[in-house]
């Protein structure tokens, strides 16, 4: 266990009293699950979470004392900028914390687990370091007594089991989804981007069905009232989890670690995830020619997928798009390297630590260059890490596969020196 956890957390953690605790010592305590708590003491939502999380943690500590083993440990991954604030926050917490000085590891954890907002609580298996549950906040709300410990993922068919609705009031059993590709659509009427996406998605759904594809969309509402749900659902030609079934809606949010809406998760006919970026795919492929949207190793940077630049480090190769073949040639250059990285991490059941893009010349790309203060050169090979506000730049006359591969390898080995964005 210590090896996998040490790779994630380092060798030592810090307790509330300031004492260092060896990560290897967690095994002796019987810890089988670790919750990574990403937060900040200056955040109102984090402050609100504190009491319920402490009570939740305390119940496990009490059980551990009775059973002679501590099944759960929580580790605070702080967003504090000042060490004094961090110290005050940690002193008030009954769990452990990543050392304040280990800022590099903190950023790597935020990127590794694609944390986009706080508070966030992600449970990982202590023996393997793999994610068990991406949305621990819902675990605290839905299972305050820890009866479902260790909250591991269940098959989609099991989580969704039960009656579903159509907007005409008819019901059908969730087994009707079997054998179809399914888009699990997390959305709400109060969210303007959701309403915009829904209008596009209705047309996409119609085109896919008319093409004879077996496809269904399942609406999982985040509306604030049943009246809002009914109004919004009346615009949708697909099925929904009943609004009153809050437990099932929450379990689906937990299953896919939903951190924001709109989100469209596309599943294959066996219930396995094809892509978590269904929103981007629908907007980029309005004719649905590439349905069911299997992920591409290298993407062409567009207005609709630029949001992914905020999800973690991204390799971006800027090219001169006035030459029609330049973008395609750049994709072909990068693709074998991207495929190799993706396959390596998929074998470990982990997300790749880099996304790969080719960027041409347009207003959006110009804005990105301006924001990150990049030179106007083309080709220009970069890695952009927006969450760390860092960039890595290789400005050479010719970009070769060997240069790209060495650049990526050095980045993953922490050999590159970042420049500030």
């Amino acid at each position: 266990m210590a090896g996998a956890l040490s790779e994630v957390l380092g060798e030592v953690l810090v307790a509330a009293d300031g004492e260092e605790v060896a990560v290897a010592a967690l095994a002796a305590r019987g810890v089988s699950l670790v919750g990574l708590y990403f937060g900040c003491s200056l955040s109102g939502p984090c402050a609100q979470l504190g009491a319920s999380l402490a009570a939740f943690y305390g119940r496990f500590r009490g059980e551990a004392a009775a059973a002679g083993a501590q099944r759960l440990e929580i580790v605070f991954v702080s967003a504090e900028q000042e060490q004094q604030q961090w110290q005050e926050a940690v002193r008030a917490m009954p769990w452990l914390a990543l050392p304040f000085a280990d800022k590099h590891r903190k950023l790597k954890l935020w990127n590794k687990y694609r944390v986009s907002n706080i508070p966030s609580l992600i449970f990982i298996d202590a023996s393997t370091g793999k994610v068990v549950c991406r949305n621990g906040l819902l675990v605290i709300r839905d299972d305050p007594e820890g009866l479902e410990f260790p909250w591991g993922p269940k098959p989609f068919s099991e989580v969704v089991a039960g009656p579903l609705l159509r907007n005409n009031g008819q019901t059908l059993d969730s087994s009707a989804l079997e054998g179809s590709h399914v888009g699990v659509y997390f959305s709400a009427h109060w969210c303007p981007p959701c309403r915009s996406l829904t209008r596009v998605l209705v047309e996409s759904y119609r085109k896919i069905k008319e093409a004879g594809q077996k496809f269904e969309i399942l609406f999982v509402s985040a509306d604030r009232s049943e009246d809002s749900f009914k109004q919004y659902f009346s615009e949708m030609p697909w099925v929904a989890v009943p609004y009153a079934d809050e437990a099932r809606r929450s379990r689906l949010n937990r299953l896919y670690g939903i951190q924001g809406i709109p989100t469209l998760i596309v599943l294959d006919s066996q219930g396995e995830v094809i892509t978590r970026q269904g929103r981007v795919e629908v907007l980029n492929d309005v004719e649905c020619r590439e349905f069911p949207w299997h992920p591409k190793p290298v993407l062409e940077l567009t207005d609709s997928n630029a949001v992914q630049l905020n999800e973690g480090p991204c390799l971006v190769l800027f090219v001169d798009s006035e030459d029609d073949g330049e973008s395609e040639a750049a994709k072909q250059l990068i693709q074998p390297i991207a495929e190799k990285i993706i396959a390596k991490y998929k074998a470990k059941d982990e997300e790749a630590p880099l996304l790969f893009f080719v960027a041409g010349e347009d207003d959006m790309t110009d804005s990105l260059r301006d924001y990150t203060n990049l030179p106007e050169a083309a080709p220009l090979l970069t890695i952009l890490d927006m969450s760390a506000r860092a960039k890595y730049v290789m400005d050479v006359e010719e970009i070769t596969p060997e240069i790209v591969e060495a650049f990526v390898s050095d980045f993953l080995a922490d050999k590159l020196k970042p420049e500030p964005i």
Side-chain angles (χ1 to χ4, degrees):
M1 178 183 86
L5 269 189
S6 295
E7 187 175 334
V8 175
L9 299 174
E11 298 300 326
V12 297
L13 301 168
V14 179
D17 59 5
E19 291 294 316
E20 291 188 346
V21 176
V23 170
L26 299 183
R29 299 181 182 181
V31 171
S32 59
L33 199 72
V34 174
L36 301 179
Y37 169 33
F38 296 85
C40 175
S41 64
L42 301 179
S43 159
C46 292
Q48 292 175 6
L49 172 68
S52 56
L53 183 57
F56 182 82
Y57 180 75
R59 280 191 289 273
F60 276 83
R61 299 280 288 194
E63 291 175 9
Q70 181 183 336
R71 297 184 296 166
L72 173 71
E73 186 54 85
I74 292 176
V75 176
F76 180 47
V77 185
S78 168
E80 319 286 343
Q81 297 299 311
E82 302 293 334
Q83 185 163 8
Q84 184 175 349
Q85 292 173 349
W86 175 84
Q87 288 173 331
E88 292 173 358
V90 170
R91 276 199 294 266
M93 295 176 175
W95 43 74
L96 304 177
L98 199 71
F100 180 81
D102 202 350
K103 295 182 179 181
H104 180 66
R105 186 175 299 277
K106 176 186 74 174
L107 287 173
K108 288 186 70 173
L109 289 173
W110 282 70
N111 285 332
K112 178 181 178 68
Y113 298 108
R114 301 283 196 264
V115 176
S116 57
N117 50 49
I118 56 174
S120 183
L121 180 62
I122 296 172
F123 290 116
I124 63 173
D125 185 290
S127 61
T128 65
K130 293 182 179 179
V131 174
V132 171
C133 176
R134 290 186 177 277
N135 200 330
L137 302 184
L138 290 179
V139 167
I140 296 170
R141 189 192 74 182
D142 297 346
D143 186 28
E145 301 302 322
L147 301 178
E148 298 178 32
F149 180 89
W151 311 294
K154 298 177 180 178
F156 169 71
S157 59
E158 181 178 336
V159 176
V160 78
L164 304 176
L165 291 178
R166 292 202 179 275
N167 63 15
N168 61 5
Q170 292 181 341
T171 63
L172 68 160
D173 190 78
S174 58
S175 59
L177 300 176
E178 293 175 4
S180 295
H181 286 82
V182 177
V184 189
Y185 184 36
F186 299 86
S187 185
H189 187 263
W190 54 260
C191 161
C194 294
R195 296 198 301 274
S196 296
L197 179 61
T198 296
R199 288 191 288 271
V200 178
L201 192 54
V202 167
E203 287 303 305
S204 298
Y205 178 78
R206 178 183 60 78
K207 290 172 184 175
I208 293 167
K209 299 285 275 190
E210 287 178 352
Q213 300 271 14
K214 296 190 71 176
F215 180 52
E216 193 52 79
I217 293 178
L218 175 67
F219 173 40
V220 184
S221 173
D223 287 294
R224 292 165 177 161
S225 71
E226 186 151 14
D227 285 343
S228 292
F229 162 76
K230 289 178 178 177
Q231 179 185 349
Y232 194 28
F233 187 40
S234 69
E235 305 169 13
M236 301 176 181
W238 43 74
V239 299
V241 176
Y243 184 80
D245 196 344
E246 185 177 355
R248 192 161 32 141
R249 289 190 288 123
S250 184
R251 286 196 296 271
L252 285 163
N253 274 271
R254 280 167 49 189
L255 178 63
Y256 298 114
I258 303 303
Q259 295 190 32
I261 56 174
T263 294
L264 178 65
I265 309 287
V266 181
L267 310 178
D268 66 17
S269 58
Q270 304 302 311
E272 299 296 324
V273 174
I274 293 176
T275 179
R276 299 177 60 86
Q277 299 294 337
R279 174 191 183 185
V280 170
E281 298 293 351
V282 165
L283 295 175
N284 275 346
D285 182 28
V286 293
E287 296 302 321
C288 306
R289 294 191 178 98
E290 298 181 4
F291 175 83
W293 302 302
H294 289 280
K296 299 182 183 68
V298 183
L299 298 174
E300 188 163 344
L301 192 61
T302 65
D303 286 329
S304 57
N305 65 25
V307 66
Q308 291 178 259
L309 292 174
N310 296 311
E311 295 184 3
C314 299
L315 181 142
V316 184
L317 175 54
F318 293 87
V319 297
D320 181 358
S321 61
E322 291 181 4
D323 181 343
D324 291 338
E326 192 76 15
S327 291
E328 189 57 37
K331 287 182 191 176
Q332 294 303 318
L333 185 150
I334 295 174
Q335 183 155 325
I337 299 157
E339 289 175 341
K340 182 177 177 182
I341 295 293
I342 291 167
K344 175 182 177 181
Y345 283 84
K346 186 176 182 180
K348 299 192 290 183
D349 198 24
E350 295 181 9
E351 292 189 43
L354 270 177
L355 298 177
F356 296 83
F357 292 91
V358 169
E361 291 184 352
D362 54 32
D363 290 343
M364 190 275 296
T365 301
D366 288 343
S367 296
L368 178 61
R369 282 185 184 265
D370 289 343
Y371 177 73
T372 54
N373 196 26
L374 289 171
E376 291 299 320
L380 182 69
L381 184 62
T382 68
I383 291 175
L384 305 177
D385 188 346
M386 297 301 194
S387 62
R389 297 190 63 80
K391 64 185 178 186
Y392 307 81
V393 181
M394 180 164 285
D395 185 359
V396 296
E397 289 188 6
E398 182 181 3
I399 306 293
T400 66
E402 293 74 22
I403 286 175
V404 176
E405 189 153 19
F407 188 54
V408 169
S409 296
D410 286 348
F411 171 77
L412 296 178
D414 294 325
K415 292 180 180 179
L416 300 180
K417 184 177 179 181
E419 301 175 44
I421 291 179

